[in-house]
Amino acid sequence: MGRVAPRFPNLPDATSPEEVNQALLCHFFPPKPLPIVPSILRPYRGCDPLLPGEITAALRKWSSSSAPGADTIPYSVWKRVHLTAPRLLMDLLGPLLKLGYHPVSMKKANGIVLDKPGKPSYDSPASFRVIVLLQTVSKILERVVASRLSLTARTLKLVHSNQCGSLPALSSFDAAISLVDSVRTLQRPGLKVSTLFLDIKRGFDNVNASTLCSSLKKAGVPHYMVSWIGSFLSQRTCRLLFQGSPKTFSPVQVGTPQGSPISPLLFVICVASLHIQIPRGLSLSYVDDFALSAASTSYRTNIRTLQRAFG
């Protein structure tokens, strides 16, 4: 059976591909206040030089067959380049770290618009989803910064100890085991345990770059890293690709970009303060999924406790 052709978004108030493109952009990337972008670049002190091993470790994370973004360069090319001329990527990306800057040319993304199967109609942007493909050369640097920030975040305790996602050696399995163990421990004295599961809707999209960078700076994250993160999150563009699309790059404010290696880590740093203390209970999370557990002698008391915590 042949592959079903993708559906063209048939939006009521959009009569041209350009209008459809704009309607989809407004739905998936709603406008937000623009962060302040430094106009003068100066090298930061305290920035460790980019090492070949960091690039090798970053490239090892990706399959050579992974789809590239707007640069159309697959990871197999960068792996061959790094193997043949190890200094090339170091000389290309190293100065960006030292300057705390991510160039606009590396912030262009392709957004593949796909229809959600089984919808009764396709006259609304909500009937579609967007898969964002970032440039491979950018993701190499993003992976390097994510690795460095992960170590710094642990040292400065920027990520809550009950967060089990977006961190090395922690997975959804660890979150599930931690929750089961905590519930059984609370039940041992004969208490009743209730758990409320929450999901932060569009959490990644709503990360505020200015607030995040201010918090990182106050916490003692190296200045070059804070500056690079602010630059990385600003002045981004995306080209939506669908049947008949104009294939033009448009400015978007995306919070933390979908598909970026550093986005989940930035998000869990932002939500660390949402882990609240629950008397005889636990607040546990896996990226944007939270589980609040409360224990007492009655389920009614648990419900009231969880309602207060949720509120």
Side-chain angles (χ1 to χ4, degrees), residues 7 21 25 42-43 69 83 95 97 115 117 128 138 141 155 185 203 241 247 255 258 272:
R7 294 177 177 86
N21 188 73
L25 283 170
R42 297 187 179 90
L83 187 64
L97 279 181
D115 53 275
F128 297 83
S138 175
L141 183 56
T155 303
T185 301
L241 301 178
K247 297 182 173 61
Q258 179 192 131

Side-chain angles (χ1 to χ4, degrees), residues 121-303:
S121 66
Y122 291 87
D123 57 359
S124 165
S127 300
F128 297 83
R129 60 192 178 99
V130 173
I131 303 298
V132 177
L133 299 178
L134 307 180
Q135 297 186 53
T136 51
V137 67
S138 175
K139 291 178 74 172
I140 295 170
L141 183 56
E142 293 162 39
R143 178 76 70 181
V144 170
V145 179
S147 179
R148 291 188 177 190
L149 181 60
S150 178
L151 294 174
T152 302
R154 285 182 181 274
T155 303
L156 299 177
K157 295 181 169 50
L158 298 180
V159 179
H160 198 276
S161 57
N162 289 346
Q163 171 63 249
C164 296
S166 306
L167 300 169
L170 289 173
S171 66
S172 56
F173 178 80
D174 297 288
I177 290 296
S178 298
L179 178 60
V180 170
D181 180 70
S182 298
V183 168
R184 288 177 176 172
T185 301
L186 292 167
Q187 287 175 331
R188 205 162 289 143
L191 298 176
K192 294 178 172 60
V193 182
S194 304
T195 300
L196 174 64
F197 293 94
L198 302 170
D199 174 72
I200 300 177
K201 186 177 181 181
R202 304 192 71 166
F204 283 50
D205 295 341
N206 290 307
V207 170
N208 184 287
S210 299
T211 302
L212 170 63
C213 289
S214 177
S215 300
L216 293 175
K217 192 172 182 179
K218 288 179 182 178
V221 173
H223 288 181
Y224 82 88
M225 206 178 292
V226 176
S227 179
W228 182 89
I229 290 169
S231 177
F232 169 70
L233 296 178
S234 65
Q235 295 180 302
R236 302 196 65 86
T237 58
C238 184
R239 175 174 59 188
L240 294 183
L241 301 178
F242 54 89
Q243 189 181 53
S245 69
K247 297 182 173 61
T248 55
F249 285 99
S250 302
V252 293
Q253 289 88 54
V254 296
T256 54
Q258 179 192 131
S260 170
I262 197 171
S263 288
L265 178 58
L266 295 177
F267 176 77
V268 298
I269 291 174
C270 286
V271 300
S273 60
L274 296 183
H275 288 81
I276 59 176
Q277 291 291 332
I278 300 177
R280 288 199 294 190
L282 175 73
S283 174
L284 185 73
S285 65
Y286 180 78
V287 194
D288 57 352
D289 295 311
F290 277 69
L292 308 181
S293 299
S296 70
T297 56
S298 75
Y299 290 118
R300 188 177 296 276
T301 300
N302 290 348
I303 291 172

